[in-house]
Amino acid sequence: MPPREALMPALEEILYSGYIATGQAVYDFENQFRSYIGNQNMISVHSGTDALHLAYILAGIKPGDEVISTPMTAEPTNTSIKMVGAKIVWGDVDPSNGLLDPKSVRTLITEKTKAIVLVHYAGMVCDMDEFNKISEEFNIPVIEDAAHALGSRYNGKMIGNNSPYTVFSLQAIKHLTTVDGGFLAMKTDRQMERAMRLRWFGLSKDKSRLENDITEVGYKYAMNNVNATIGSVQMKFINENINRYITNGKAYDKALKGVPGVRLVKYNQHTEPSYWLYTMRVENRADFIRMMEAAGITASPLHHRSDTHTIFNESRRELPQMEEWYSSFVHIPCGWWVDDAARDRIVELIKKGW
Ligand SMILES: *Cc1c(COP(=O)(O)O)cnc(C)c1O
């Protein structure tokens, strides 16, 4: 949350303004967030999961279609593919960073493939050079789940400008939070109008209730003025906040290079991570986590792989590179709350061994 002095007056004002539903505060926040990303074709929603669901609908994904996705993510990336009835085909991951491996994806494309879902896990950016090529060659849209990657870049530009659809989450633990919230970014303005109807029961906010005709089922996915007000205040601190993650991440990259038992991840060409989590591979992970815990520092692998859930049983297959990655990766604290002294202490601990 922003400092109390910055947030509370704005929050109190909106709470007692008589207008807490979707209104001007949402449109103001949307404009600020669009400027930050550098893309005007973006709409706010109530969660990242809502944005994922809308992206899959707008991409035209239907029951019987196949979507190539990654098990190395939070569950909503994949449970929302089931919401549109499609079958998930698991791509394998690059064992050096846990990100979807374009070589694996190529071998999985069939005439049923309707989309490729990329997750910029922990703020590391997928191999966009290769995925852009694949998308063009097979004419299959890429959907980027950028819930971990606010402030990450590809070719110098913010994530949110590259693919037909990019999804952001503003949930409690993400880089920037509005308590709950999300954004759907689109490459063009062609589907903006439809996206805005889908987030509001299928109704157009531009017309009066009496003039409206619902032609397709929509959802209750809009952000409200209260969450948006928190978002607008957060935007005053966004650069400072994300720069802290990036400064910490880069410092770890430098300080942990060559440390026995540690293997750094490989960042893809032309990409810049925003280090939502600091990710690395370690030998004897259980011992590493115990050593860190004894010093009062949480280190963990965070996410459970998605492909082992019962609802995805029809998609089960062997993923040898995922096995390799999954047994060795770990995260250490990297966010805005880690100051220089804490970071140095963490580095020294790791250097002492485990
Ligand atoms: C948080 C998250 C989501 C879902 O976002 P919500 O705003 O919680 O709905 C989707 N994908 C990933 C990778 C996430 O981390």
Side-chain angles (χ1 to χ4, degrees):
M1 282 295 121
R4 190 176 292 265
E5 320 79 75
L7 177 61
M8 291 321 266
L11 196 54
E12 182 163 350
E13 193 183 326
I14 196 73
L15 281 170
Y16 296 99
S17 66
Y19 206 136
I20 54 179
T22 306
Q24 195 55 44
V26 172
Y27 310 136
D28 291 347
F29 174 48
E30 281 183 323
N31 283 331
Q32 292 179 66
F33 200 80
R34 285 172 186 143
S35 310
Y36 176 73
I37 299 294
N39 179 355
Q40 289 306 301
N41 308 312
M42 299 179 66
I43 64 161
S44 65
V45 283
H46 190 68
S47 74
T49 308
D50 297 348
L52 282 163
H53 188 201
L54 292 186
Y56 298 144
I57 294 171
L58 292 169
I61 299 164
K62 300 207 160 59
D65 292 340
E66 290 178 0
V67 174
I68 299 175
S69 184
T70 173
M72 193 61 234
T73 184
E75 284 79 358
T77 311
N78 294 312
T79 52
S80 52
I81 296 173
K82 296 304 262 187
M83 287 165 79
V84 292
K87 183 186 170 192
I88 296 170
V89 176
W90 299 118
D92 210 347
V93 303
D94 180 336
S96 71
N97 55 26
L99 301 174
L100 205 56
D101 178 359
K103 290 198 279 302
S104 163
V105 170
R106 256 178 198 282
T107 66
L108 300 169
I109 294 172
T110 71
E111 66 270 25
K112 286 187 181 172
T113 310
K114 286 290 151 56
I116 298 166
V117 181
L118 303 180
V119 176
H120 303 309
Y121 183 77
M124 300 179 279
V125 180
C126 293
D127 188 348
M128 295 316 302
D129 286 351
E130 280 306 309
F131 282 113
N132 285 341
K133 268 190 225 155
I134 291 172
S135 174
E136 210 167 292
E137 201 178 315
F138 295 92
N139 195 25
I140 296 171
V142 162
I143 297 168
E144 295 177 51
D145 181 341
H148 295 180
L150 186 61
S152 297
R153 290 172 188 267
Y154 170 58
N155 277 339
K157 265 195 191 168
M158 288 280 180
I159 291 298
N161 288 285
N162 179 66
S163 298
Y165 310 99
T166 305
V167 165
F168 294 99
S169 166
L170 309 178
Q171 187 263 343
I173 65 170
K174 306 300 158 74
H175 280 106
L176 179 139
T177 184
T178 55
V179 181
D180 262 316
F183 267 89
L184 172 65
M186 289 162 281
K187 179 102 181 190
T188 71
D189 63 4
R190 268 184 297 124
Q191 290 183 302
M192 281 285 278
E193 212 252 4
R194 185 175 172 213
M196 285 194 274
R197 275 187 285 114
L198 285 172
R199 77 171 172 186
W200 192 250
F201 313 109
L203 290 163
S204 168
K205 277 244 177 202
D206 296 337
K207 294 184 190 149
S208 78
R209 221 47 174 226
L210 295 175
E211 287 168 313
N212 248 299
D213 177 34
I214 295 178
T215 54
E216 123 178 87
V217 174
Y219 302 85
K220 175 69 191 296
Y221 284 172
M223 183 176 275
N224 63 56
N225 274 358
V226 181
N227 293 116
T229 296
I230 298 173
S232 282
V233 180
Q234 293 282 49
M235 292 308 289
K236 296 183 181 147
F237 305 93
I238 190 167
N239 286 320
E240 190 186 323
N241 181 22
I242 289 184
N243 284 341
R244 189 68 215 168
Y245 286 79
I246 294 175
T247 304
N248 283 338
K250 285 187 169 167
Y252 282 135
D253 281 341
K254 219 167 142 193
L256 295 174
K257 198 172 175 185
V259 171
V262 172
R263 271 183 299 172
L264 300 187
V265 293
K266 184 195 86 191
Y267 303 117
N268 284 308
Q269 271 217 320
H270 308 132
T271 74
E272 295 166 56
S274 61
Y275 300 91
W276 182 57
L277 303 164
Y278 190 78
T279 311
M280 58 190 190
R281 287 188 289 171
V282 290
E283 284 167 22
N284 306 320
R285 181 172 64 186
D287 293 343
F288 176 84
I289 291 172
R290 261 194 297 274
M291 176 278 287
M292 295 289 276
E293 214 166 74
I297 294 156
T298 306
S300 87
L302 188 70
H303 284 307
H304 190 280
R305 56 191 287 180
S306 283
D307 57 333
T308 52
H309 289 290
T310 299
I311 57 162
F312 303 129
N313 273 355
E314 62 165 358
S315 301
R316 276 283 178 99
R317 69 184 201 92
E318 297 290 308
L319 299 167
Q321 296 177 163
M322 179 69 188
E323 298 290 340
E324 186 187 336
W325 164 257
Y326 201 64
S327 62
S328 62
F329 82 98
V330 74
H331 303 295
I332 57 174
C334 184
W336 53 266
W337 60 95
V338 180
D339 60 17
D340 289 3
R343 194 182 69 216
D344 291 347
R345 195 176 144 243
I346 290 170
V347 168
E348 287 317 308
L349 258 174
I350 296 172
K351 281 184 169 167
K352 274 195 214 139
W354 58 95

